[in-house]
Amino acid sequence: MSHHCNLSFQQLTDNDYRRINKELSNKDTIDVVRWAYHTFADELVYACSFGAEGIVLIDIISKIRPDAHIVFLDTHVHFKETYELVEKVQRAYPLLRIEIVQPVLTLEEQAEQHGSALWKIEPNVCCSIRKLQPLATVLAGKKAWLSGLRREQSPARAHVQFINKDQKFTSIKVCPLIHWKWDDVWNYIKLYQLPYNELHDKGYPSIGCEHCTLPVEDGGSSRAGRWAGFEKTECGLHQ
């Protein structure tokens, strides 16, 4: 496959995305990850929420780029189990550069400016302050970012490609797991005995902030536990 080391969001046309996705269409996940690091090197960052998909991607990335730059958006309202998992992963992959990115506003400052429990009134505003703006700052200096999106997660994600034009962050978004099923994710975690968030064993398929995540009943959509009561299943990073 040809080298695209000068690829950037501004230079790539829709035809380029189609061509690259066609080139990658018969490749394995690890080949897509390898392509991404080969292409973008230090201009690539993985924004990881440390869900089940994230753990799989971290393990695959570590085989290709042991010192990869991984970002965790610390909203200050994650579950205790999520923070514990980040520490476990740091111990398991000591070479990875896991950066904990904080929002500009503390929870106290956010409460002063927007009222307490903003997530109950305006969850989109809360996500913007605590996730989108911090990620935008991280991605401003990078050409591309990795994401663990899978097509089967929701109708909104059914058309995700390996390489995507990300208008929101004027970045190239690489999604190596698009064809994986939920069972594939867990088979990989069990096969390699990877650490994972214990909340997955308690009915939480998708884990976000503590206030905005509920367990899902058997057979429910994997995103159903997020922002219950709102017409919202995405924090906005992927819209």
Side-chain angles (χ1 to χ4, degrees):
M1 189 172 293
S2 54
H3 302 308
H4 306 274
C5 293
N6 60 348
L7 289 190
S8 73
F9 177 86
Q10 285 77 14
Q11 292 167 315
L12 281 184
T13 65
D14 290 345
N15 280 339
D16 289 327
Y17 283 99
R18 277 194 287 274
R19 175 178 52 76
I20 295 166
N21 278 309
K22 195 172 175 212
E23 286 177 15
L24 293 173
S25 61
N26 58 352
K27 300 289 183 188
D28 286 338
T29 299
I30 196 159
D31 296 321
V32 177
V33 174
R34 192 177 285 118
W35 174 90
Y37 280 100
H38 182 82
T39 304
F40 301 111
D42 290 332
E43 297 284 315
L44 178 69
V45 66
Y46 175 31
C48 181
S49 63
F50 286 78
E53 293 88 354
I55 295 303
V56 168
L57 258 186
I58 281 175
D59 190 69
I60 293 170
I61 288 167
S62 74
K63 293 170 166 56
I64 289 160
R65 190 73 179 245
D67 65 341
H69 180 199
I70 292 173
V71 162
F72 173 64
L73 302 174
D74 182 4
T75 60
H76 301 168
V77 279
H78 286 293
F79 288 91
K80 155 177 87 61
E81 291 86 348
T82 304
Y83 290 113
E84 288 167 359
L85 177 62
V86 173
E87 290 178 10
K88 282 180 198 162
V89 169
Q90 285 172 319
R91 288 195 294 274
Y93 304 93
L95 296 179
L96 287 178
R97 292 174 290 137
I98 299 176
E99 181 187 0
I100 314 287
V101 174
Q102 314 287 349
V104 172
L105 296 183
T106 65
L107 286 169
E108 294 72 29
E109 289 166 340
Q110 178 170 301
E112 281 167 22
Q113 293 183 26
H114 298 277
S116 61
L118 179 61
W119 45 85
K120 285 185 183 166
I121 311 148
E122 289 277 0
N124 288 336
V125 178
C126 192
C127 287
S128 177
I129 293 168
R130 310 208 77 73
K131 290 181 86 171
L132 278 91
Q133 291 167 24
L135 183 60
T137 305
V138 169
L139 295 183
K142 304 286 184 184
K143 284 188 176 176
W145 67 298
L146 279 161
S147 171
L149 295 185
R150 296 181 299 109
R151 286 181 176 174
E152 76 159 12
Q153 282 171 323
S154 69
R157 299 180 176 191
H159 306 293
V160 177
Q161 304 290 326
F162 282 135
I163 312 297
N164 305 271
K165 185 175 198 171
D166 188 344
Q167 300 281 10
K168 174 165 291 213
F169 295 108
T170 57
S171 182
I172 300 163
K173 182 160 69 175
V174 183
C175 301
L177 300 181
I178 54 173
H179 299 308
W180 286 51
K181 305 290 187 218
W182 190 230
D183 285 349
D184 299 331
V185 172
W186 283 101
N187 289 340
Y188 188 100
I189 288 172
K190 285 168 186 160
L191 178 65
Y192 293 104
Q193 297 181 315
L194 303 182
Y196 65 85
N197 195 318
E198 290 158 20
L199 292 172
H200 288 308
D201 294 334
K202 298 174 182 173
Y204 290 82
S206 173
I207 301 166
C209 295
E210 200 167 357
H211 304 293
C212 301
T213 308
L214 294 172
V216 173
E217 304 205 353
D218 283 351
S221 150
S222 75
R223 306 288 297 173
R226 304 292 291 277
W227 302 282
F230 289 95
E231 289 291 308
K232 178 175 167 69
T233 58
E234 300 279 355
C235 64
L237 295 187
H238 305 294
Q239 285 163 305

